[in-house]
Amino acid sequence: MGSWDWQVFLQDPGGKDPTYWQWLLSAWGWTVSVAVSALVVALLLGSIVGVIRTLPNSPGWVRVGNAWVELFRNIPLLVQIFLWYHVVPAIFTVMRDVPPFVLVVLALGFFTSARIAEQLRSGIQALPRGQRYAGMAVGFTTPQYYRYVILPMAYRIIIPPLTSESMNIFKNSSVAFAVSIAEMTQFAMQAGEETARPMEMYLAVTVLYIISAFAINRIMATIEKRTRVPGFIASAGGGGH
């Protein structure tokens, strides 16, 4: 293997384009944008589905939630990307003018929402049953005791797996290259071919993935520390039944 050539990042491809270093930072920005946007979608949908899967006396809604999880969790992400990019616009003409960025965000968000829904369901069911009864005893409606009693504690329980999902969604954003989103994986492939320096390109991308994952881990650890309830230990019990 030849010597490393890090000056390749200072080269200006074509003589008029940004340098490879500037291109790499732009690709990092696209990766972060896809991941953060998809995470927002996943948290919103995952929370809704996770809640309806634990609703008391609502077997119909529970079946809908279960179907959502089984559907989006068991179809490979890359297949979902292509379905959203090629099949959905062909069936629903209103989707034909939707930017590929939005389609990728939806695919990644829906895929991850099924995983978050399962984690939230487990978190709700891990709560002591008495918390639900306490909410009912003070006259809360079902939406109220979920909002003020159940969910605040359930989210605290699932922060560790949410940390893993947040890191996974960042790594999974690499599939966006399949529909020509200019994120880091596509940068590494294209710039590596143009410069004949794929090792340098892939190593730089790897370092940025590691930095991003570490940042997510530290942010979630800070959230977990600040929201911890001293002395609270979830019991296996069925607060969601």
Side-chain angles (χ1 to χ4, degrees), residues 93 189 204 240:
T93 56
M189 296 172 61

Side-chain angles (χ1 to χ4, degrees), residues 2-147:
S3 60
W4 298 99
D5 181 14
W6 298 108
Q7 292 184 355
V8 67
F9 287 98
L10 302 179
Q11 293 180 10
D12 187 3
K16 59 181 179 179
D17 297 323
T19 63
Y20 286 108
W21 174 248
Q22 293 171 318
W23 184 6
L24 173 59
L25 292 181
S26 174
W28 192 18
W30 277 106
T31 297
V32 172
S33 298
V34 169
V36 172
S37 300
L39 182 59
V40 172
V41 173
L43 285 172
L44 290 175
L45 291 177
S47 296
I48 294 171
V49 175
V51 166
I52 67 175
R53 294 181 73 202
T54 63
L55 288 175
N57 306 316
S58 301
W61 283 111
V62 171
R63 283 193 290 270
V64 170
N66 291 339
W68 178 282
V69 170
E70 293 302 317
L71 174 64
F72 288 103
R73 187 174 60 177
N74 292 316
I75 299 177
L77 177 57
L78 192 58
V79 173
Q80 294 192 39
I81 292 285
F82 279 103
L83 287 175
W84 278 94
Y85 192 71
H86 295 289
V87 178
V88 172
I91 298 175
F92 304 100
T93 56
V94 70
M95 299 292 290
R96 292 178 181 175
D97 295 327
V98 175
F101 174 86
V102 175
L103 296 177
V104 168
V105 166
L106 291 176
L108 186 54
F110 279 42
F111 174 80
T112 309
S113 72
R115 303 173 65 88
I116 292 178
E118 178 65 15
Q119 292 163 3
L120 184 58
R121 180 194 66 83
S122 299
I124 292 173
Q125 293 184 339
L127 291 171
R129 191 183 299 269
Q131 292 206 8
R132 180 187 296 273
Y133 295 152
M136 297 171 62
V138 298
F140 283 167
T141 63
T142 298
Q144 286 176 328
Y145 70 65
Y146 265 93
R147 177 181 176 184

Side-chain angles (χ1 to χ4, degrees), residues 197-209:
R197 289 287 178 177
M199 295 296 292
E200 287 88 338
M201 298 301 172
Y202 277 100
L203 183 57
V205 166
T206 300
V207 169
L208 289 181
Y209 272 116

